[in-house]
Amino acid sequence: MATRLVQINMKARDDSALGAFWAEVLGWEVSSEGPGVTNLEPEGFVYPDPVAVCVDLVVSPEPKTVKNRVHIDLATTSAAHQAELVARLKDLGATPADVGQGDVPWTVLADPEGNEFCVLEPRELYRDTGPIAAVVVDCADPRAMARFWGEAMDWILHEVTDHEAVLRSAKGVGPYLRFVRTPDAKTVWNRVHLDVRPYPGDDLEVEAARLRTLGATAVDLDVPWKVLADPEGNEFCLLTPS
C-alpha cells in the first residue's frame, strides 16, 4: 500500500477571492465543491494525476499569525520570465515578503492573505514541472522527514542531506516535494497542509494504521477522511482511495 500527494489545502478568509488570485498565478481553472471550498487544477486535468498537485482553498475565520510552514515555489524559464512574473504577481495583489531570506536569487512574495511563496530563478531541475516547481515544507530534521514520507508515499527520494530532502512522483512528472531545515518551531495549526490519497482498491483504515506505524499520529476531527500529523507535527489529510 502507498499514498501519493494529490493536492495542497490552503485555509482562506475568502476562498473565492484567494482562489481567483492563485488561478491567475498558475493559469489554472477554478471549480467549487460547495460554499467555502474553491478548487484549482490545470485545464483539461483528470484528477488525480501526478502531472500536477492541485490546490484546494477552504474558508477559515482563523487569522494568519506566523510564517507558513508549507509554501509553493513557482518555476521560471529565464531571468526575463522571472522579472515579468514578479511584476505581474504584484499587479494581481502580491506583496514583497521578508522571511529572513537575505540576498538570494529568488523573490519572496505574499499572496493577498499573507501566504508566503517564492518565485524562483531559472533552474534546470524544474524545467518540466509546470508552474509549481515545488511544494516546500519547513522541518527540523530532513532525514527524519525523508524516512517517514519516503515510506508514506510511493514518490521517489531524489536527495537527502542534513539541509533538505527532495521527493518527486515515481512517474517523473509534476512538482517536487522538498523538506527544508529551518530553525523555526511549529507553534500553530498549519494554514497550508498536504493532502495524500491511497490508490483505488486500498482500504482507508488500513492505510491510516500503516501510517501510524511509520510515526504518524491521529488528529481527532469528525470528517469522512483521516487527519494525521507527521513525526514533526505537520497535519495532513489522508483522503479516501481514488
Side-chain angles (χ1 to χ4, degrees):
M1 298 182 71
T3 67
R4 72 278 201 205
L5 178 61
V6 293
Q7 62 203 31
I8 62 169
N9 182 295
M10 185 181 298
K11 299 293 186 290
R13 294 189 300 275
D14 185 336
D15 64 287
S16 295
L18 195 59
F21 169 84
W22 279 104
E24 287 289 338
V25 172
L26 301 172
W28 287 3
E29 294 186 329
V30 178
S31 61
S32 177
E33 295 178 13
V37 182
T38 297
N39 311 114
L40 307 179
E41 60 184 38
E43 183 178 357
F45 183 77
V46 179
Y47 177 94
D49 186 322
V51 73
V53 172
C54 300
V55 180
D56 265 17
L57 300 107
V58 180
V59 72
S60 172
E62 297 175 4
K64 183 179 185 296
T65 57
V66 299
K67 173 182 175 288
N68 289 341
R69 294 188 70 78
V70 181
H71 73 263
I72 290 172
D73 280 355
L74 299 178
T76 63
T77 57
S78 66
H81 180 209
Q82 183 185 16
E84 291 165 2
L85 181 57
V86 168
R88 185 171 72 85
L89 296 178
K90 289 179 178 178
D91 287 343
L92 291 173
T95 53
D98 186 352
V99 294
Q101 68 268 24
D103 184 15
V104 294
W106 58 89
T107 301
V108 184
L109 299 172
D111 72 17
E113 291 201 5
N115 299 297
E116 305 86 2
F117 65 98
C118 297
V119 182
L120 301 181
E121 76 284 4
R123 301 185 190 182
E124 180 65 18
L125 180 66
Y126 300 141
R127 70 188 186 281
D128 63 349
T129 59
I132 298 178
V135 178
V136 183
V137 183
D138 291 353
C139 69
D141 187 345
R143 293 187 184 277
M145 290 295 94
R147 285 192 294 273
F148 173 78
W149 286 99
E151 291 288 337
M153 302 195 303
D154 63 356
W155 282 30
I156 300 298
L157 181 65
H158 284 252
E159 178 185 0
V160 59
T161 67
D162 291 339
H163 175 67
E164 71 173 349
V166 180
L167 299 93
R168 195 186 194 192
S169 166
K171 294 186 178 180
V173 297
Y176 288 79
L177 176 63
R178 298 178 59 224
F179 294 91
V180 177
R181 181 186 292 276
T182 60
D184 305 324
K186 184 179 186 295
T187 57
V188 299
W189 183 283
N190 288 347
R191 288 187 67 80
V192 183
H193 69 254
L194 309 181
D195 283 352
V196 299
R197 191 181 290 275
Y199 284 87
D202 287 347
D203 184 277
L204 182 66
E205 295 289 347
V206 173
E207 183 59 24
R210 186 184 74 88
L211 294 175
R212 289 194 297 270
T213 66
L214 296 175
T217 53
V219 178
D220 187 16
L221 288 177
D222 185 18
V223 290
W225 54 89
K226 299 293 182 182
V227 182
L228 302 167
D230 72 16
E232 290 200 3
N234 297 298
E235 302 86 7
F236 66 96
C237 290
L238 176 67
L239 306 180
T240 54
S242 175

